Amino acid sequence: MLEVIGLGCIRGDRRLFKDLNFSAKRGELIEIRGANGSGKTSLLRILCGLAQPAEGEVRWQGQNIRSLGEEYFGSVAYVAHQNGVKDELTAIENLRIASGIVGRSVGKRKAQEILARMGLQKETYLPTRFLSAGQRRRVALSRLLASKAKLWILDEVLTSLDTAATDLSSRFIGEHLNNGGMAIIATHQDLNISATARQRLEIKIDG
C-alpha cells in the first residue's frame, strides 16, 4: 500500500540520503535506524506529507501522496519525537482536541477509556504540565488509540517510557499490525513488537 521510490533528502546545504526505496504492506512493521542527524525524522516527515523530498516520490495505493491530499492524510497517524501536548490542557483535553484537529471526534467516555488503557486514569483531568515525561509521552501515544488510520508513523515513541508503559505500547502497536495496519518507527531501541512481517532500514549519512 505504501511505496517509497528513489527518495532523496537535502536539508540546507547537506544531503541526508538518496536513492531510498522500500515498500510496506498490511501488517508490516518497518524499523528506521540510523545515527543522529542521518535523516530519520526528515524521512518520517516526508512520509507524512509534511515535507517535500529533494527527489523521488511516496505512493499510497499506487498514487503520489501529493495528489491525494486529505485522502492520504486521513490514513496516517503521526507521533513526533516531541510530544505535541499543551501544558495548560488536561490529558483528556489534549486527546480530544488533537483527535478533533485530524477529523476524528472522540467522546468524553471513549477518551476516558483510552487514557485508562494507557495507565492515566488518575491523571485524566490533570493539566499535563504536572505530568512526568513518561506520562506526557503516554498522552501523546493515546492519540493512536483514538485513530482509525491504517499507517502509523512514529518517531522514537518509546523514549521516556518505563518498562510497563513500553510493554503496553508495544502490545497495542502489535494489535494494530495484527488488524491489518502498518507501522513505520524510527528508533534506537530494540522493538519487542509482534508482527507477521518486518523490515529494518538503516539510513547512513550520505558522503
Side-chain angles (χ1 to χ4, degrees):
M1 295 182 67
L2 181 79
E3 297 174 276
V4 172
I5 303 170
L7 209 64
C9 179
I10 297 172
R11 288 292 172 264
D13 59 356
R14 188 166 71 94
R15 175 174 287 280
L16 298 179
F17 56 81
K18 65 180 180 181
D19 297 328
L20 200 59
N21 297 277
F22 65 91
S23 62
K25 59 182 183 295
R26 291 182 183 273
E28 189 162 20
L29 168 65
I30 297 182
E31 297 180 34
I32 308 295
R33 302 285 186 133
N36 290 337
S38 61
K40 299 188 298 298
T41 294
S42 294
L43 170 60
L44 298 190
R45 288 179 56 80
I46 291 170
L47 297 181
C48 290
L50 298 175
Q52 291 265 26
E55 59 265 337
E57 62 178 337
V58 181
R59 294 179 183 174
W60 178 251
Q61 296 181 344
Q63 298 185 63
N64 190 306
I65 63 171
R66 310 307 302 185
S67 67
L68 292 174
E70 292 299 323
E71 181 182 343
Y72 175 67
F73 298 140
S75 300
V76 177
Y78 176 49
V79 177
H81 186 58
Q82 300 297 323
N83 292 318
V85 299
K86 300 296 184 182
D87 286 345
E88 68 276 12
L89 299 180
T90 65
I92 194 168
E93 288 170 340
N94 267 288
L95 172 57
R96 296 185 69 188
I97 291 172
S99 298
I101 287 172
V102 296
R104 173 72 172 145
S105 177
V106 179
K108 180 178 178 181
R109 179 172 294 181
K110 180 64 175 178
Q112 289 172 328
E113 292 172 355
I114 290 171
L115 291 170
R117 186 177 176 191
M118 294 302 297
L120 294 169
Q121 56 268 47
K122 294 181 179 179
E123 292 78 23
T124 297
Y125 292 98
L126 280 178
T128 54
R129 67 175 176 272
F130 296 123
L131 303 186
S132 70
Q135 289 170 331
R136 290 165 63 85
R137 195 61 173 164
R138 280 184 273 169
V139 173
L141 288 170
S142 70
R143 299 197 297 264
L144 296 174
L145 297 181
S147 170
K148 290 190 174 181
K150 287 293 185 184
L151 175 59
W152 289 3
I153 298 178
L154 313 174
D155 195 352
E156 299 287 355
V157 290
L158 304 184
T159 300
S160 302
L161 297 181
D162 59 22
T163 300
T166 297
D167 291 344
L168 173 64
S169 301
S170 298
R171 191 158 57 247
F172 75 68
I173 294 171
E175 290 171 1
H176 172 69
L177 297 172
N178 290 334
N179 289 329
M182 294 171 281
I184 299 176
I185 305 177
T187 182
H188 287 98
Q189 302 167 260
D190 290 330
L191 301 177
N192 185 24
I193 296 173
S194 174
T196 55
R198 64 197 306 151
Q199 299 180 49
R200 177 178 289 191
L201 179 65
E202 187 80 24
I203 298 181
K204 297 181 179 178
I205 298 175
D206 187 64

